[in-house]
C-alpha cells in the first residue's frame, strides 16, 4: 500500500502479519480518510504499529474512540487511573505491589507446554474486545519485546480435513483456563468474585472480513466441550502448535511513544518473559474496543456461562 503527501503510509513488516503506520499524528483527531486507511490496514495486517507518538491517557482514549466504543479498563482491575476508567496499566511492579511479591513468582511457575504468555485479550468474556491499543510509556533498553500471531493464517495452515473438523468444535474460556491460579492468592479471589466464563467457537468468522481464524488461546481456553479431557488436550496441543509457528508472527521492539493496535478477533500475542530476572521498569497503557459475541462457521454465537458482557459500564466487585 502506497500513499501520497498528507496520506497515511502503510508499510508491511512481516510475511503474514504486521505493518508500520506513518505520516499520521494519532494524538490529534483524524479525518474520515485516515480512520478508513487505518481500519483497512488493521484488518489486512492484523496488528499495526505507530512510532514516535506523543499520547497521554486522554489522547489515547480519544484515538481509540474513533474506532468504536471503549470498554472499562479490565474485568479484574478496580484501580484504573483516576478519571480514566478506560485505561489498563500494564506494569509487573504494579501487580506485585497490589497482589504481593508472590504474584510474579506464581506467574513464572505456571508457564509450561505452549503457555508462555500467548493469549487473546479477555476471551473469558462472551464478547471479547474487538481491538486493543497499547501505548509504551517506559520501556527497558534491553528485552521486553511483544509478539503477535495471525490466527487466520494459522487456521489456513491446517489441512482441509482438520479445518473441517475444528469448524464444528466449541471451547470453554475462563480466567485461569490455561493455567492454575493459586487459590490462596488475593488475585484468585478477585477472579472468583468477578467470574467470566464463556463458550466460544473454536473457529471464529471475522464480522468484517469474513475470514475464518482459530479462536483458542493457551491463556484462557480451558477445554474443548463435548469431548474427553484427553481428546481436548490433544486437539488444543495441535492448535497451539499451529498458532505459535514463528512464520505467522511478528515481533515488536518497543520504544517510548510506540503504539500497537491489534485486531483482537484475529490475533493472539505473547507477553515478554525475558526481563523478569532483571530489575527493569516497563510501563504500558492499554485501551480496548468493545466487541460482539463471536460467531462460528455454523452461524452459532458464543454462549455466556458466567458473568456479563464486557463493556464501558463494567463494574469490578471488591469484597474485603
Amino acid at each position: 500500500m502506497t500513499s501520497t503527501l498528507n496520506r497515511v503510509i502503510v508499510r508491511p513488516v512481516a510475511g503474514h502479519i504486521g505493518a508500520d503506520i506513518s505520516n499520521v499524528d494519532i494524538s490529534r483527531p483524524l479525518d474520515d480518510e485516515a480512520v478508513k486507511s487505518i481500519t483497512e490496514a488493521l484488518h489486512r495486517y492484523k496488528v499495526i504499529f505507530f512510532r514516535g507518538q506523543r499520547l497521554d491517557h486522554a489522547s489515547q482514549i480519544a484515538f481509540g474512540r474513533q474506532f468504536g466504543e471503549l470498554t472499562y479498563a479490565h474485568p479484574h482491575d478496580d484501580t484504573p487511573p483516576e478519571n480514566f476508567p478506560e485505561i489498563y496499566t500494564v506494569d509487573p511492579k504494579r501487580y506485585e505491589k497490589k497482589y504481593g511479591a508472590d504474584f510474579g513468582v506464581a506467574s513464572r511457575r505456571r508457564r509450561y507446554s505452549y503457555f508462555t504468555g500467548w493469549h487473546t485479550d479477555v476471551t473469558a468474556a462472551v464478547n471479547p474486545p474487538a481491538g486493543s491499543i497499547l501505548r509504551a510509556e517506559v520501556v527497558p533498553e534491553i528485552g521486553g519485546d511483544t509478539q503477535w500471531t495471525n490466527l487466520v493464517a494459522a487456521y489456513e495452515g491446517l489441512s482441509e480435513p482438520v479445518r473441517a473438523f475444528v469448524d464444528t468444535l466449541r471451547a470453554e474460556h475462563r480466567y485461569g483456563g490455561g493455567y492454575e491460579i493459586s487459590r490462596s492468592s488475593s488475585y484468585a479471589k478477585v477472579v472468583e468474585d468477578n467470574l467470566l466464563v464463556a463458550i466460544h467457537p473454536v473457529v471464529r468468522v471475522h464480522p468484517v472480513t469474513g475470514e475464518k481464524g482459530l479462536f483458542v488461546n493457551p491463556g484462557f481456553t480451558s477445554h474443548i466441550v463435548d469431548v474427553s479431557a484427553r481428546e481436548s488436550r490433544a486437539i488444543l496441543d495441535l492448535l497451539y502448535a499451529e498458532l505459535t509457528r514463528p512464520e505467522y508472527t511478528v515481533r515488536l521492539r518497543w520504544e517510548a511513544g510506540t503504539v500497537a493496535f491489534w485486531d483482537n478477533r484475529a490475533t493472539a500475542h505473547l507477553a515478554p518473559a525475558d526481563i523478569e530476572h532483571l530489575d527493569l521498569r516497563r510501563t504500558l497503557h492499554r485501551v480496548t474496543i468493545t466487541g460482539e459475541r463471536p460467531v462460528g462457521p455454523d452461524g452459532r454465537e458464543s454462549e455466556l456461562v458466567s458473568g456479563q458482557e464486557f463493556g464501558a459500564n463494567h463494574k469490578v466487585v471488591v469484597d474485603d
Side-chain angles (χ1 to χ4, degrees):
M1 187 181 298
T2 60
S3 175
T4 58
L5 187 64
N6 297 325
R7 303 292 176 84
V8 171
I9 297 174
V10 180
R11 184 179 66 85
V13 295
H16 284 284
I17 182 173
D20 280 332
I21 308 296
S22 59
N23 206 42
V24 60
D25 179 358
I26 64 174
S27 70
R28 299 175 179 274
L30 304 175
D31 60 29
D32 291 344
E33 186 174 350
V35 170
K36 180 181 178 181
S37 295
I38 291 170
T39 301
E40 289 176 349
L42 178 69
H43 291 151
R44 179 174 180 179
Y45 298 106
K46 315 309 182 194
V47 58
I48 52 180
F49 309 121
F50 303 84
R51 317 275 182 167
Q53 300 291 323
R54 296 187 177 183
L55 296 178
D56 55 16
H57 291 338
S59 55
Q60 182 177 5
I61 290 168
F63 172 68
R65 282 181 174 156
Q66 294 172 98
F67 300 90
E69 180 184 79
L70 299 185
T71 70
Y72 177 75
H74 189 277
H76 301 138
D77 187 2
D78 62 321
T79 56
E82 187 175 1
N83 299 321
F84 300 105
E86 302 88 350
I87 295 287
Y88 177 58
T89 297
V90 180
D91 185 339
K93 302 292 186 185
R94 172 176 175 254
Y95 306 149
E96 292 182 11
K97 181 178 179 181
K98 184 172 183 178
Y99 297 115
D102 62 340
F103 180 85
V105 173
S107 175
R108 289 189 289 273
R109 284 177 177 169
R110 69 184 179 229
R111 291 190 174 129
Y112 62 90
S113 185
Y114 290 104
F115 183 58
T116 54
W118 283 106
H119 64 287
T120 298
D121 285 334
V122 198
T123 62
V126 72
N127 63 323
S132 296
I133 302 168
L134 187 61
R135 156 177 68 99
E137 179 184 2
V138 178
V139 294
E141 292 184 0
I142 60 172
D145 297 358
T146 302
Q147 291 177 258
W148 286 263
T149 188
N150 183 338
L151 299 180
V152 172
Y155 171 79
E156 293 174 348
L158 298 169
S159 65
E160 191 282 328
V162 174
R163 292 198 302 271
F165 170 59
V166 297
D167 278 352
T168 68
L169 300 177
R170 296 170 77 82
E172 181 191 271
H173 294 235
R174 64 169 62 226
Y175 277 88
Y179 54 88
E180 192 68 31
I181 297 176
S182 172
R183 297 299 177 187
S184 62
S185 71
S186 57
Y187 181 67
K189 188 175 189 314
V190 173
V191 171
E192 190 66 26
D193 291 344
N194 298 272
L195 192 62
L196 291 178
V197 183
I199 304 293
H200 294 305
V202 167
V203 175
R204 178 177 188 173
V205 179
H206 196 287
V208 177
T209 68
E211 296 172 310
K212 291 183 181 180
L214 294 179
F215 202 66
V216 291
N217 68 88
F220 296 125
T221 305
S222 62
H223 65 280
I224 306 293
V225 301
D226 299 327
V227 303
S228 70
R230 179 178 59 82
E231 291 168 334
S232 173
R233 185 71 261 162
I235 294 167
L236 288 174
D237 281 348
L238 170 69
L239 299 182
Y240 294 161
E242 187 68 22
L243 69 87
T244 57
R245 284 173 56 178
E247 57 264 43
Y248 301 143
T249 68
V250 65
R251 183 172 185 139
L252 175 63
R253 172 93 278 266
W254 292 98
E255 296 178 346
T258 298
V259 175
F261 185 179
W262 63 92
D263 186 340
N264 200 57
R265 300 154 167 157
T267 61
H269 55 282
L270 176 63
D274 64 332
I275 58 173
E276 293 173 335
H277 61 297
L278 304 173
D279 187 21
L280 299 174
R281 188 69 184 267
R282 184 178 184 271
T283 303
L284 304 96
H285 306 283
R286 189 187 76 190
V287 297
T288 51
I289 300 168
T290 302
E292 63 290 298
R293 297 192 182 202
V295 175
D298 60 0
R300 292 174 62 196
E301 286 188 345
S302 296
E303 303 166 39
L304 176 67
V305 176
S306 181
Q308 58 189 326
E309 290 198 354
F310 182 50
N313 297 321
H314 185 88
K315 302 295 183 183
V316 180
V317 175
V318 180
D319 184 5
D320 295 330

